[in-house]
Amino acid sequence: MTAGQYDRIYEGWARDPGAFWAQAAEAIGWERRWDRVVDEPKPHFFRWFPGARLNTCWNALDRHVDGGRADQPALIYDSPVTGTIRTYTYRELRDRVAKVAGMLVALGVKSGDRVVVYMPMVPEAAMAMLACARIGAVHSVVFGGFAPAELATRIDDAKPVAILCASCGIEPGRVVAYKPMLDEAIRLATHKPRACVVLQRPMAKADLQPGRDHDWDEAVDAAAPADPVPVLATDPLYILYTSGTTGQPKGVVRDNGGHAVALAWSMPNLYGIKPGDVWWTASDVGWVVGHSYIVYAPLLNGSTTILYEGKPVGTPDAGAFWRVIAQHKAVALFTAPTALRAVKREDPDAKLLAGYPIPRFRTLFLAGERADPDTVEWAGHHLKVPVIDHWWQTETGWPICANPVGTQLFPIKPGSCTKPMPGWDLRVLDAEGQEVRRGDIGALVAKLPLPPGALPTLWNADQRYVDSYLADFPGHYKTADAGFVDDDGYVHVMARTDDIINVAGHRLSTGGMEEVLASHRDVAECAVIGVHDPLKGQLPLGLVVLKAGVTKPNAEIVKELVALVRDRIGPVAAFKTAVVVDRLPKTRSGKILRGTMVKIADGGEYKVPPTIDDPAILAEIADALKDVGYAKG
Ligand code: COA
Ligand code: AMP
């Protein structure tokens, strides 16, 4: 942690990226080493460590069992919603995962086959992922808050041989039965999996369909443990679907080799985490943060990971996070700013913290959405540790920018995610692809090749990969975030440049929600915008124009629209508000002025766009938004 260390490392990478990543790759055990560090078999498609062979699960588990960590806790399951705390040592986790892998083999799953995982935050979810990795199968975890229709879309795209699921998840105040949602998704999907394995939880047992469904415990008990199967570094480890600009999610592909190298590099160098440290990421295995920093990175690093089935508040109170840190002696927590805002709202002076001494706690990491300065300052003030905002995406798999506390802690500037990490040649470009002046806002892009760990392509959609990320700024990856670099070289990420919104750290497409609203029989036209919310950062808000002749009361239609989005996308969309308007503001060429409506809703100043068709509409929109509690500036 010495001054100048970051510059030395970053410059070393910039001088010779191949040497840098070859050195980082020494942290991983390889069955066969690479022919080249990186190559470009076709233009813009880069592959890391071609020719090398490894097994990610072996690196995450067996290697530590053999290397002296067999009796060290690997995973601590802490579930306030079920009143359970269970610890798995590296040996126990390796043995369980080997059995789950054996079960997959018995079901006919082979290397390269896809397996969908639709599970809440139970240790079996992590075991399922690692078991796939063990036999070279490709997992695709789907977040439990998504509705059957969304799950069906992912099943049709990934075409899994098997689906692993739990009978239910537990949300505050309700038990969410997963199995009926899975059954409905399979009914909706064209592709049918050969087998489903269901973890029966006592709070809601699921009905099993003979011939297709298997009981998890019985199937795992009956299975012979499976050994790790080496795969190519360039073979896919997983597909993780994320919101794109349409209702069709993007299947982000993660390879084995680059992923292992990048995550293994990040734990000591970026996060400052050592083997044996207890590390906690409070997220969900359904998101990239959960993939990388609940499951893979801490285990690759020989650390102990906490898997938490609970919320920041209400399970049972706003002291839950401090209790977990204290009880398990965690040295760091990684969560989304919204979780801290929830804590702050209930316990503004962090009084509950006094009940939980946390002397070993060193660092708080925040990501998933912009960390607002108030939250950063509040957390820093009460926890008295560095609060590190860092920026990344499902696509990148690990941080683009961070304050690399493991290498050098820079002075914290609330609102900034600090500096680019080695591997990321970050530029700020204007619409013509020219670099903007320092301090000016522009598109944040990364010069190709992307580093190990970042997506090599989209699942079965090379052209969509090019169109989505590479076409707008040739030679660069478009993050679709806008921001600027200040005079100290700090990066500030300010907003998305597309229709993605971030609701409680969850990434959602307003375009996808518009598709759902437009499918309602009474809706002629609609727009969904992301409006500011003090807790969740953003919330979706729908504006709809009804077809002529509709006589149904507006309130009834709004209720139907809210139910429709919940039914098609899921509760995670948090779509609760819509207003009926006579018309939507548009440019003369017919483009809906969503950005202007966001500014009106948030009560900020806005300019009447010179291209607007009829400026009078803006006052109508403001009135309609006032009726639902917005546009109060
Ligand atoms: N399965 C089923 N339903 C789920 C779910 C899951 N895994 N996760 C969330 N939901 C449901 C919730 O029950 C809620 O339903 P409701 O509309 O009936 O209340 C809805 O989806 C929205 O959930 P959420 O966004 O979590 O809001 P909340 O009001 O329940 O909780 C916070 C607010 C801030 C406490 C919560 O969002 C939180 O902990 N956020 C942290 C986010 C995070 O870790 N993000 C990962 C990126 S790092
Ligand atoms: P996801 O793919 O779900 O991880 O969402 C990625 C998006 O979340 C990014 O493109 C940003 O818009 C936003 N995001 C994530 N982390 C940050 C951060 N630290 N600061 C600002 N925005 C962030």
Side-chain angles (χ1 to χ4, degrees):
M1 278 227 284
T2 46
Q5 187 71 352
Y6 162 87
D7 284 343
R8 273 196 292 282
I9 291 181
Y10 191 85
E11 282 158 18
W13 160 76
R15 252 194 326 275
D16 191 347
F20 178 90
W21 290 116
Q23 172 66 35
E26 296 301 335
I28 294 301
W30 303 89
E31 198 241 0
R32 181 187 187 279
R33 291 170 75 85
W34 46 94
D35 300 325
R36 282 173 305 286
V37 178
V38 63
D39 74 354
E40 190 180 3
K42 59 178 173 163
H44 314 312
F45 287 80
F46 293 90
R47 301 185 316 172
W48 286 95
F49 308 106
R53 297 174 74 83
L54 78 162
N55 184 277
T56 298
C57 177
W58 182 86
N59 272 283
L61 298 177
D62 305 61
R63 189 172 51 129
H64 304 307
V65 175
D66 302 342
R69 299 191 178 278
D71 299 319
Q72 179 198 307
L75 186 147
I76 300 169
Y77 168 53
D78 186 311
S79 168
V81 295
T82 60
T84 314
I85 292 178
R86 206 182 304 145
T87 299
Y88 299 85
T89 63
Y90 267 97
R91 182 188 288 111
E92 286 165 345
L93 191 59
R94 192 268 316 263
D95 292 348
R96 297 252 181 159
V97 167
K99 293 275 274 180
V100 178
M103 170 189 80
L104 293 174
V105 172
L107 292 171
V109 178
K110 293 189 292 298
S111 193
D113 285 345
R114 271 80 56 215
V115 175
V116 160
V117 178
Y118 187 57
M119 291 176 122
M121 284 292 286
V122 289
E124 288 79 2
M127 291 174 196
M129 295 162 72
L130 291 158
C132 290
R134 194 168 187 83
I135 60 166
V138 181
H139 61 72
S140 187
V141 184
V142 180
F143 177 63
F146 281 121
E150 289 285 324
L151 178 56
T153 310
R154 287 153 175 80
I155 291 173
D156 274 336
D157 198 67
K159 301 195 173 28
V161 172
I163 301 185
L164 309 181
C165 127
S167 58
C168 65
I170 299 145
E171 283 296 293
R174 71 193 163 106
V175 171
V176 182
Y178 276 41
K179 179 62 172 28
M181 292 201 278
L182 173 62
D183 290 338
E184 175 62 3
I186 295 175
R187 193 187 66 74
L188 292 171
T190 311
H191 172 83
K192 308 292 176 194
R194 214 181 297 150
C196 299
V197 187
V198 183
L199 176 75
Q200 294 282 21
R201 307 186 81 192
M203 310 85 198
K205 291 260 171 109
D207 292 334
L208 301 187
Q209 188 177 304
R212 187 197 71 184
D213 296 347
H214 304 262
D215 177 276
W216 175 286
D217 288 338
E218 287 171 14
V220 173
D221 281 351
D227 284 335
V229 176
V231 296
L232 286 173
T234 48
D235 280 342
L237 169 68
Y238 69 76
I239 307 165
L240 180 56
Y241 289 90
T242 190
S243 299
T245 48
T246 66
Q248 180 69 28
K250 293 169 171 166
V252 168
V253 174
R254 194 82 58 216
D255 66 13
N256 274 275
H259 173 252
V261 171
L263 294 191
W265 183 87
S266 73
M267 286 304 276
N269 296 294
L270 191 163
Y271 293 100
I273 299 299
K274 296 185 292 295
D277 279 347
V278 180
W279 159 264
W280 179 25
T281 298
S283 176
D284 189 288
V285 287
W287 307 117
V288 69
V289 171
H291 280 61
S292 293
Y293 291 105
I294 294 174
V295 180
Y296 287 111
L299 297 178
L300 287 165
N301 195 47
S303 308
T304 300
T305 187
I306 298 174
L307 189 137
Y308 175 71
E309 186 181 29
K311 301 270 171 179
V313 292
T315 58
D317 57 30
F321 274 17
W322 322 138
R323 194 269 302 161
V324 173
I325 294 170
Q327 188 162 350
H328 305 301
K329 303 186 173 52
V331 301
L333 166 66
F334 177 168
T335 191
T338 191
L340 287 189
R341 288 196 296 270
V343 173
K344 181 174 148 208
R345 193 168 69 167
E346 292 211 355
D347 184 15
D349 299 321
K351 290 206 173 91
L352 294 170
L353 186 56
Y356 303 103
I358 50 172
R360 295 185 191 208
F361 188 63
R362 296 199 295 257
T363 331
L364 173 68
F365 297 94
L366 298 177
E369 59 179 316
R370 182 161 187 270
D372 53 291
D374 277 358
T375 303
V376 173
E377 278 157 9
W378 180 85
H381 173 72
H382 291 292
L383 291 167
K384 301 185 175 41
V385 297
V387 179
I388 309 278
D389 175 17
H390 59 326
W391 166 56
W392 51 301
Q393 313 181 304
T394 305
E395 289 84 345
T396 68
W398 65 287
I400 307 168
C401 284
N403 195 335
V405 59
T407 299
Q408 174 183 352
L409 180 65
F410 286 94
I412 288 165
K413 278 196 200 182
S416 165
C417 54
T418 322
K419 307 260 178 169
M421 291 299 93
W424 296 98
D425 182 351
L426 196 69
R427 312 275 172 100
V428 190
L429 304 184
D430 64 18
E432 279 70 50
Q434 300 302 313
E435 287 203 43
V436 301
R437 278 183 323 202
R438 202 155 251 224
D440 286 356
I441 286 210
L444 293 167
V445 305
K447 194 161 177 298
L448 298 177
L450 294 182
L455 81 173
T457 189
L458 293 173
W459 182 250
N460 280 338
D462 281 354
Q463 192 54 46
R464 190 175 181 200
Y465 169 70
V466 172
D467 295 345
S468 304
Y469 302 111
L470 309 182
D472 289 359
F473 301 102
H476 299 83
Y477 164 82
K478 178 180 78 172
T479 65
D481 279 311
F484 64 94
V485 179
D486 70 17
D487 287 340
D488 300 321
Y490 279 52
V491 178
H492 300 248
V493 180
M494 304 309 291
R496 289 285 299 198
T497 57
D498 56 10
D499 75 339
I500 299 292
I501 58 169
N502 211 306
V503 180
H506 309 319
R507 171 169 159 178
L508 297 158
S509 155
T510 54
M513 291 187 225
E514 288 179 2
E515 284 176 25
V516 174
L517 298 189
S519 72
H520 187 284
R521 66 186 170 288
D522 296 333
V523 169
E525 221 184 356
C526 65
V528 174
I529 57 174
V531 293
H532 174 73
D533 181 75
L535 174 66
K536 297 195 174 186
Q538 282 182 300
L539 276 179
L541 186 151
L543 297 109
V544 293
V545 178
L546 301 182
K547 287 179 183 159
V550 172
T551 52
K552 204 185 277 178
N554 287 353
E556 209 171 300
I557 293 177
V558 165
K559 225 165 129 190
E560 287 172 9
L561 294 172
V562 168
L564 201 61
V565 175
R566 193 175 172 98
D567 183 49
R568 296 264 186 88
I569 298 178
V572 66
F575 184 84
K576 304 248 160 98
T577 315
V579 277
V580 175
V581 293
D582 290 336
R583 48 197 186 145
L584 291 169
K586 290 185 188 167
T587 61
R588 280 186 287 276
S589 60
K591 201 166 164 279
I592 297 176
L593 290 160
R594 292 180 181 78
T596 309
M597 291 196 285
V598 171
K599 290 207 176 83
I600 296 174
D602 288 347
E605 283 189 15
Y606 66 92
K607 288 199 194 95
V608 177
T611 53
I612 193 166
D613 183 32
D614 176 3
I617 305 181
L618 296 182
E620 294 170 25
I621 295 290
D623 285 343
L625 289 170
K626 275 189 190 127
D627 289 346
V628 286
Y630 291 91
K632 291 207 170 128

